[in-house]
Every structure is written in C-alpha cells, then in structure tokens.
Amino acid sequence: MTRSYIVRTYGCQMNEHDSERISGLLEADGLVRAESEDDADVVVLNTCCIRENADNKLYGNLGHLKPWKDAKPGRQIVVSGCLAQKDRDLVRQRAGHVDVVMGTHNVHRAAELLDEAASAGPITEILDAAVIDDHQMFPSVLPARRASGYNAWVTIQIGCDNSCAFCIVPAVRGPEISRPYADIVAEVAALAAEGTTEVTLLGQNVNSYGRDLQLAARRAGDASVRLRPLFADLLRDVGEVEGIRRVRYTSPHPKDMRTETLAAMADTPAVCEHLHYPLQSGSDRVLALMHRGYTAERYLERLFEARRVVPDLAVSTDIIVGFPGETDEDFEHTLEVAAAAEYDYAYTFIFSPRPGTEAAAMEDDFVDPAVAGERFQRLRTVVERSGLRRHEERVGRVEEVLVEGPSKRRPDVLTGRTRQNKLVHFAPPQPVRTGSYAAVEVTRAAPHHLEGRFVELLVEPAHKVRIPVATL
C-alpha cells in the first residue's frame, strides 16, 4: 500500500524551504501527502531552536505523537532541522519513539534515512558540515514540493559567518556557503516557466552573498576576480527573468548593507519596495555586546539612505528586549531609534538564552523578567504607533495585491500582500483565484493590516495552485 506523510514546520523561511525539499524527496520515494496526522504513516517535525519555547513545542508534540505511533504498526517519526542539529542524541533520550533524527546538513538524505530506519531501527545522523561537492544542499538538484505555484523560496546561501552573541544559527547551519550564481538564475528561470511570478531569495545573511566565491577564486589564483558585492548584480539579473513580477529577499545584515544593493532595488522594477532591516538594539553598548558590527547612528544613516533611494519603501525589523546587561538607559536608546526609524512593522522579542551561545553564559547580567516584560510593552506601543501611521498614509491609494487565498477568519474575504509586504483584506464581487494580482483601493488602516475595495483583476495565475505544505 502507498504510504503517506505530513511535514510540520517550525521557525524561519529557511526551515519552510527545507520542508518543501523534504516533502519533494519523500514524494520522489513514492510517498503521498496526507491531509492530517490521522491519515499519515510518517510525521516529520522540522524544527527551530532560536527561542526557548521551540524546545518545549517540539517535545510536547513528540509526547502527543507516541500514542499516534503506537496505534498503527509501521508508523514513523522524523525530527529534523536546527533543534535536531543542536540536541543530537538528546532527542532520542527524551523521546525514544523517534525513528530518525537528522540535522540541517543532510536534508538530501531524508528519504534514505527513513527507509534505513524501517529495516535497521532508529537512526541519528548529524553531519557537521554541508555536503557541497555536487551542491546537494541547494534545491537545484533536489526535488521540492513547493508550498504554492505562484511564489517560491530560492536559496542563494546557507550558513552564517557572523558571531552574534545571542544567535545559535552559525552552530547549527555552519559557515557561509554561497550557491553558484548561474544556478540561482537558472532556477528562477525554471520557476518562471512553470508559472511562478514571485520569488524570495533566501540566506542567513543574503547581502554578503558571493563573498566566499570571490575569495575562493582569488585563492585559486584567478587575479581577474575583483572583490565586490555580488548581491546587487543578483537582484538585477533575477529581476530581469521573464515572467518574474516580484523579487524579495531575506534576511540582510545591516553591517553588510551597501549602496549598490539599494541602487539595484530602485533600478529593478521587479524588486519589491520592502526592506527587512534587523536592528536588535538601539544602544551602541548593547550592540557591541551582541557583536553586531554597527552603531545606532550608522544603522539609521543607511536606513534613511534606503528611503531616499527607493521610493515608497516599507521597512520592517527585529528587536530584542532585555539582552543581558541592558539598562534603562540602553532601552531608552532603543525606543529613540525605533521612533526615528518609523518602522512599518517590527518583530519584537524578549531575550531567550540559547545554550551554546555567548549570551546564555551571561547569567549574572540577565534582566529581571518583569522589567523585560514592561520594556517589551513600551516598545510595542512605539512600533505599533508608527506602523499605524504609515498604514493610514496608504488609505485612498490603489495597491497591487498578490492574492494568497481566503482569510482564516472570514472565508468570504480574500487576503493578499502589496509590494511593500503589507497584508490586505478585501471582498471581491467575483471569484478571484489564488496567485492572481488584483488592484485594491485601501479603505481602512489597522496596525497590522489594511482593508480595501476590489477595483479590478490585473493578472491571473498561469496554473492551478498546489496544496501547501502544512506549517505551524
């Protein structure tokens, strides 16, 4: 009988894309996608380890899956991703019913490990480095069950060479490895030929893309290689692929943001007017403790330059509250920078120590949870105020919206995103397929979304949208 699977994804866009590739590999091995765990023979939990509740969520779900597994012979559980890479043997120690534990560097082995576990018993395989001889870690040679038919993640780089004190990513994703330039453009062209109109370039530090490729060429004796930012060139070439209407990228690092990148955003019509620009803290002292490599002044200078160069640019950010040693004065600086930046929206977090990071060892300087919580609420007030103000400025404008499907709360209302990545809810007078582009007049602003009136259908998708991979 044909076996079925379901993938549950935690964490960032990189994890979501890894889930697409795991799904593609399982389907190439003969499995079919299940609609729920009750119907599945295989459950894959693709994990994240950025914050403490990721651990709790994983082990809680594994506890619930034990009776699921016991209820039917032959069922298997796979734990993959960053938390598997970090915890290694601890996963099976805490949940002995797991069949496969695999890390971030062996996604390409997903189907093989599942087959091996079925015959030989539980397997833990955690590679310490990416397999790059034939670019196996990149999707150019891996089947991927894309979450949709109209937009797609495109990995341009894996790993990270930074040493942010709070971040576990370098330990679980390894050093930066850039994908060959031509492979990226070729994948985007292939996606466009299949009907994809929006791509998001993915990397842990996308705007440092190509630095390792150029250094390797120089070390190999190619004196013609000039060390220069390649990411701006990549934006332009991807944006010129026929059929691609929108190009996004995430996540850049402020210390590596170059004028060339901003110019490419402004000069390439397909590149969207949205910049995710992580601040983390507005205090120079805390930024130094974090090893971020920039000051608040430099950060704001480049942000203001971006808004000058790229018309109608929306800016989002990440900010951590309560980093070890953060004082009231440090936090006041964060509020000042957040107010000056006038973010369109922000992802704000209370510091969570991750074992293995430098910050986790700074226990003597941990901020009292009550103090951190109070600061968190004050910061949210500042960023939501600016977000609402910037949303209100869009009322009355007609926006191009990429339709993502029905609203989760109201199935008669459609949801989509503008080029600035703003969520828009609207009720069309006619059926509109997911993946279409529609003109929508903004009629109301809220802190986290817009509401609008359907004006006209601009572009319909070239094919039916595939069922998405399940996510959490």
Side-chain angles (χ1 to χ4, degrees):
M1 293 179 61
T2 301
R3 282 163 43 88
S4 60
Y5 77 94
I6 193 165
V7 178
R8 299 293 187 191
T9 308
Y10 309 82
C12 68
Q13 296 95 333
M14 191 71 74
N15 271 23
E16 290 182 25
H17 190 30
D18 282 348
S19 289
E20 292 179 339
R21 294 151 70 185
I22 291 170
S23 298
L25 288 162
L26 295 183
E27 293 192 7
D29 198 43
L31 279 74
V32 297
R33 184 183 181 278
E35 292 302 315
S36 69
E37 290 170 2
D38 291 341
D39 302 324
D41 299 293
V42 176
V43 171
V44 179
L45 302 181
N46 190 21
T47 64
C48 170
C49 64
I50 296 299
R51 272 167 285 280
E52 186 176 11
N53 65 356
D55 303 50
N56 299 333
K57 186 177 289 188
L58 169 66
Y59 292 113
N61 275 282
L62 286 175
H64 293 310
L65 283 174
K66 190 174 189 311
W68 167 86
K69 183 179 179 181
D70 293 341
K72 182 179 177 182
R75 280 179 166 171
Q76 293 176 289
I77 300 171
V78 178
V79 177
S80 64
C82 296
L83 190 58
Q85 185 78 24
K86 179 179 77 71
D87 281 3
R88 299 181 177 238
D89 294 331
L90 181 61
V91 176
R92 182 160 291 107
Q93 291 174 19
R94 294 187 60 176
H97 52 291
V98 172
D99 297 274
V100 175
V101 181
M102 57 181 247
T104 59
H105 301 311
N106 56 347
V107 168
H108 60 287
R109 290 261 293 152
E112 297 171 22
L113 291 173
L114 198 63
D115 291 341
E116 291 173 17
S119 58
I123 293 176
T124 297
E125 182 179 283
I126 307 293
L127 304 183
D128 291 325
V131 179
I132 59 172
D133 290 342
D134 55 2
H135 311 302
Q136 288 190 84
M137 285 303 297
F138 294 119
S140 55
V141 294
L142 287 181
R145 191 184 198 282
R146 300 281 179 178
S148 81
Y150 59 87
N151 61 8
W153 309 115
V154 176
T155 300
I156 70 169
Q157 171 205 70
I158 58 174
C160 182
D161 288 344
N162 296 309
S163 56
C164 298
F166 55 82
C167 187
I168 194 69
V169 167
V172 297
R173 289 283 181 178
E176 287 180 13
I177 303 174
S178 296
R179 182 180 175 190
Y181 194 102
D183 284 7
I184 299 168
V185 178
E187 185 187 0
V188 173
L191 288 166
E194 295 173 356
T196 296
T197 60
E198 178 184 87
V199 294
T200 300
L201 306 183
L202 274 186
Q204 305 297 155
N205 187 18
V206 287
N207 51 339
S208 68
Y209 168 80
R211 184 165 51 195
D212 57 322
L213 297 178
Q214 294 178 97
L215 288 172
R218 288 282 290 271
R219 285 194 294 267
D222 188 347
S224 65
V225 174
R226 180 169 60 91
L227 295 180
R228 61 186 180 82
L230 285 180
F231 185 61
D233 295 342
L234 185 65
L235 281 178
R236 287 190 170 94
D237 286 345
V238 168
E240 291 174 1
V241 171
E242 184 177 356
I244 295 299
R245 192 178 182 95
R246 290 184 177 182
V247 178
R248 303 187 185 277
Y249 64 91
T250 195
S251 288
H253 196 297
K255 73 177 179 59
D256 295 315
M257 184 57 69
R258 303 286 186 263
T259 298
E260 294 93 336
T261 297
L262 302 178
M265 292 179 68
D267 298 341
T268 311
V271 178
C272 291
E273 297 84 4
H274 171 235
L275 173 64
H276 185 67
Y277 202 49
L279 170 65
Q280 305 302 1
S281 174
S283 162
D284 290 348
R285 193 183 71 85
V286 174
L287 287 171
L289 289 172
M290 289 178 168
H291 308 313
R292 290 293 288 171
Y294 54 84
T295 63
E297 181 180 10
R298 179 184 169 191
Y299 175 93
L300 285 174
E301 286 175 352
R302 193 48 54 90
L303 185 150
F304 294 151
E305 179 187 1
R307 285 207 166 113
R308 287 195 304 270
V309 172
V310 184
D312 201 19
L313 181 70
V315 180
S316 56
T317 196
D318 299 325
I319 302 175
I320 297 173
V321 174
F323 185 82
E326 181 188 71
T327 64
D328 288 340
E329 183 180 2
D330 292 323
F331 179 67
E332 289 298 330
H333 289 316
T334 296
L335 291 180
E336 291 168 3
V337 174
E342 294 187 302
Y343 295 115
D344 290 73
Y345 55 97
Y347 300 98
T348 53
F349 311 96
I350 294 176
F351 171 76
S352 171
R354 307 311 298 134
T357 64
E358 181 180 339
M362 301 166 68
E363 294 181 359
D364 291 343
D365 295 319
F366 279 6
V367 176
D368 181 270
V371 172
E374 186 270 338
R375 291 174 183 172
F376 180 79
Q377 293 303 323
R378 290 172 62 194
L379 177 62
R380 286 194 61 181
T381 298
V382 170
V383 297
E384 288 188 359
R385 183 190 305 133
S386 66
L388 178 59
R389 182 167 59 249
R390 295 187 72 83
H391 276 189
E392 288 173 341
E393 292 170 356
R394 309 194 82 83
V395 173
R397 296 180 50 166
V398 175
E399 304 273 6
E400 178 192 86
V401 173
L402 173 54
V403 179
E404 296 181 342
S407 166
K408 292 180 180 179
R409 295 183 178 180
R410 292 184 54 190
D412 59 321
V413 172
L414 292 183
T415 293
R417 292 190 183 271
T418 70
R419 290 177 59 88
Q420 290 76 18
N421 205 36
K422 295 181 181 295
L423 195 64
V424 182
H425 302 300
F426 65 100
Q430 64 193 65
V432 177
R433 290 172 58 195
T434 298
S436 299
Y437 290 84
V440 177
E441 180 186 3
V442 179
T443 57
R444 180 180 175 273
H448 303 292
H449 71 274
L450 301 170
E451 295 178 9
R453 177 184 65 83
F454 177 82
V455 176
E456 63 177 325
L457 185 64
L458 299 174
V459 179
E460 288 196 275
H463 54 72
K464 292 183 179 179
V465 178
R466 291 183 285 275
I467 300 171
V469 175
T471 58
L472 291 179

